[in-house]
Amino acid sequence: MILILGGTGEARQLAEALVAREVRVVSSLAGRVARPRLPVGEVRVGGFGGVDGLAAWLRENDVQAVVDATHPFAERIGANAAKAAEMTGVPLLRLARPGWQPEPGDVWHWADDLEDAAKKLPELGKRVFLTTGRQGLPAFAHLDDLWFLIRCVDPPEPPLPRHHELLLDRGPYEKAAELELLRRVDVLVTKDSGGTLTSAKLTAARELGKPVLVVRRPPRPATETAETVPEAVEWVLHR
């Protein structure tokens, strides 16, 4: 059995490719999205109970390899996967799409984390398009002098910024629609998620000359890494 961690597009593509090759796959989703896109093959939803719980699950289910295909900002499960793999001797691969890179015409500013982004934001504009996900919104809740257009998949829990408009939507997003949204604001805030699912906002910001505040990816444990699904498929098949 192969355990795939994560509900990303790459995780779903990997599950589909492996099931097509008659590899038994269990995809594990965190359960933080109300209506996730489900991959093919077996699916489990919810946490494992920390490192020890994940290690026990690997042993009990005779897992032959783990692919961590979680979101680039899913720090906790990434760290737990690395520790559990070391404890059990199960091979671990990190499937991580490359981060975004600025292109000519981009006006990018970098932040180390959400708190750092909140500190730098007032210097960049008064009207903000915030696309960092619902769990990170408390970092911006104290910025009473700014107005936020907040986009996320599911309704967020408070605290939220005092002045905001909420947009519930799920990617992929088209450039024309992103242009309309960005015309309403001064600055875009995003995590360096990478990939094409949500990259249209960066293209729109470039065309409009809008500044973009980009939150850097957190460090991950050192482990063998693949950047593409075909690379991950080959790694699994060699196991």
Side-chain angles (χ1 to χ4, degrees):
M1 179 206 296
I2 305 299
L3 175 64
I4 300 177
L5 302 172
T8 60
E10 290 83 4
R12 293 191 297 273
Q13 293 167 24
L14 178 60
E16 182 177 5
L18 292 176
V19 169
R21 290 165 172 80
E22 299 184 346
V23 176
R24 186 187 173 196
V25 172
V26 174
S27 296
S28 178
L29 309 182
R32 291 175 178 168
V33 177
R35 296 177 300 278
R37 295 190 178 102
L38 295 178
V40 298
E42 300 175 49
V43 178
R44 71 175 300 279
V45 178
F48 291 92
V51 175
D52 292 338
L54 177 54
W57 199 93
L58 297 179
R59 295 189 187 99
E60 292 166 3
N61 291 275
D62 193 25
V63 175
Q64 296 170 280
V66 178
V67 180
D68 174 11
T70 55
H71 191 275
F73 285 79
E75 300 175 67
R76 182 177 299 176
I77 185 60
N80 288 354
K83 292 177 183 177
E86 183 179 2
M87 290 169 60
T88 59
V90 175
L92 170 67
L93 178 74
R94 169 70 181 147
L95 174 55
R97 56 182 179 257
W100 288 317
Q101 297 297 322
E103 299 183 14
D106 282 328
V107 186
W108 284 17
H109 305 262
W110 290 90
D112 293 330
D113 52 31
L114 292 175
E115 288 71 24
D116 187 37
K119 292 177 183 177
K120 294 177 177 177
L121 190 52
E123 301 177 2
L124 300 176
K126 293 290 187 182
R127 296 177 63 84
V128 183
F129 186 19
L130 188 56
T131 64
T132 54
R134 63 188 176 94
Q135 291 184 312
L137 295 179
F140 303 91
H142 65 286
L143 297 175
D144 293 340
D145 293 335
L146 306 185
W147 179 88
F148 292 85
L149 175 61
I150 300 171
R151 181 168 68 193
C152 47
V153 176
D154 294 319
E157 298 288 338
L160 302 176
R162 177 180 299 178
H163 308 292
H164 74 270
E165 177 182 331
L166 189 59
L167 175 61
L168 299 181
D169 198 5
R170 186 197 301 264
Y173 305 107
E174 299 295 330
K175 186 182 77 170
E178 300 293 75
L179 283 166
E180 290 301 313
L181 293 175
L182 278 158
R183 287 190 180 100
R184 301 176 54 195
V185 301
D186 302 320
V187 56
L188 165 67
V189 184
T190 182
K191 293 178 176 178
D192 181 19
S193 300
T196 60
L197 193 67
T198 64
S199 62
K201 61 189 175 187
L202 302 176
T203 304
R206 183 184 312 123
E207 291 191 8
L208 295 173
K210 303 278 186 175
V212 182
L213 186 53
V214 185
V215 180
R216 289 188 177 91
R217 295 181 174 189
R220 286 287 195 130
T223 187
E224 191 171 356
T225 302
E227 292 188 346
T228 68
V229 171
E231 290 176 45
V233 170
E234 289 301 313
W235 183 87
V236 169
L237 294 180
H238 279 93
R239 296 300 179 279

